Amino acid sequence: NLMADVTLEAADKVLFTREKRHADICLLNHGGIRAILPKGDITTRTAFEIMPFENSLVVIALKGEQIREIADYLIKEKKPHPLAGMEILLDKDATMIKDITVEGKPLEISKIYNVATSDYLSNGGDNMEFFKRGIATYDLDYKLRNVFIDYFKSTDTIYASKSLRVITEKQ
């Protein structure tokens, strides 16, 4: 959650400054996280250990139907990919999507949503083919690792939200 939340916030600031648009969602991949955030002092080295890759932050404008594909992908994959700005409500068997919200509002199929992600995923990495069907791409010229370095420098005490982003109905 922390990675997605921090990335969404950074993407929103940069995208708004450059394009006068807001970032709505962030989707990263769990495989891009290579270490845990340790308790105690955080250094630049910590950011390099967590994210050793040279991935850049991009925002892809996707139609609501591709946002639905993101939800389908996450349910099929059953992996804890970092997600922010979006919630998916599943039936009690965790097999069927009952509801999708973006920033607390119901998903609109005809609406365009700006999704922050890595350049690796935007090119279809981890089989995230829905990103290739984006209607616009905004390269923010900001390494994901640097997003975290900047966040660590500006934050005294780090708190990670434990809110659920993919929720299964109770039995």
Side-chain angles (χ1 to χ4, degrees), residues 51-166:
M51 301 200 79
F53 308 109
E54 295 297 317
N55 296 74
S56 292
L57 178 58
V58 297
V59 174
I60 309 295
L62 296 175
K63 294 179 181 175
E65 58 199 64
Q66 277 81 48
I67 302 304
R68 174 64 193 224
E69 288 178 42
I70 289 174
D72 290 337
Y73 172 88
L74 292 171
I75 302 322
K76 180 182 170 202
E77 287 288 306
K78 296 186 181 347
K79 293 180 181 172
H81 294 296
L83 180 67
M86 177 175 165
E87 286 186 354
I88 304 164
L89 178 63
L90 303 176
D91 67 354
K92 63 183 178 180
D93 299 320
T95 56
M96 188 176 78
I97 296 170
K98 296 198 71 173
D99 192 30
I100 300 170
T101 58
V102 177
E103 297 180 314
K105 298 175 187 163
L107 176 69
E108 296 178 42
I109 295 300
S110 61
K111 186 174 176 179
I112 304 300
Y113 296 92
N114 292 311
V115 183
T117 192
S118 71
D119 57 338
Y120 168 72
L121 297 178
S122 74
N123 290 315
D126 275 3
N127 297 312
M128 294 191 188
E129 297 292 322
F130 39 81
F131 282 126
K132 292 169 133 186
R133 291 189 295 285
I135 60 170
T137 300
Y138 305 97
D139 183 347
L140 302 187
D141 194 30
Y142 198 2
K143 297 284 185 208
L144 280 173
R145 179 187 314 112
N146 292 343
V147 168
F148 292 97
I149 290 170
D150 291 346
Y151 173 75
F152 295 152
K153 286 180 179 178
S154 70
T155 306
D156 180 61
T157 304
I158 297 170
Y159 297 99
S161 169
K162 294 182 181 179
S163 68
L164 296 175
R165 284 56 190 316
V166 178

Side-chain angles (χ1 to χ4, degrees), residues 27-42:
L27 175 62
L28 301 172
N29 61 324
H30 79 285
I33 305 167
R34 294 304 171 115
I36 62 166
L37 185 63
K39 191 173 186 175
D41 292 338
I42 304 297

Side-chain angles (χ1 to χ4, degrees), residues 5-24:
D5 291 344
V6 169
T7 302
L8 180 58
E9 184 178 321
D12 187 61
K13 285 179 186 174
V14 175
L15 187 65
F16 191 77
T17 299
R18 293 184 187 172
E19 304 288 335
K20 301 300 181 236
R21 299 175 185 275
H22 286 287
D24 304 298

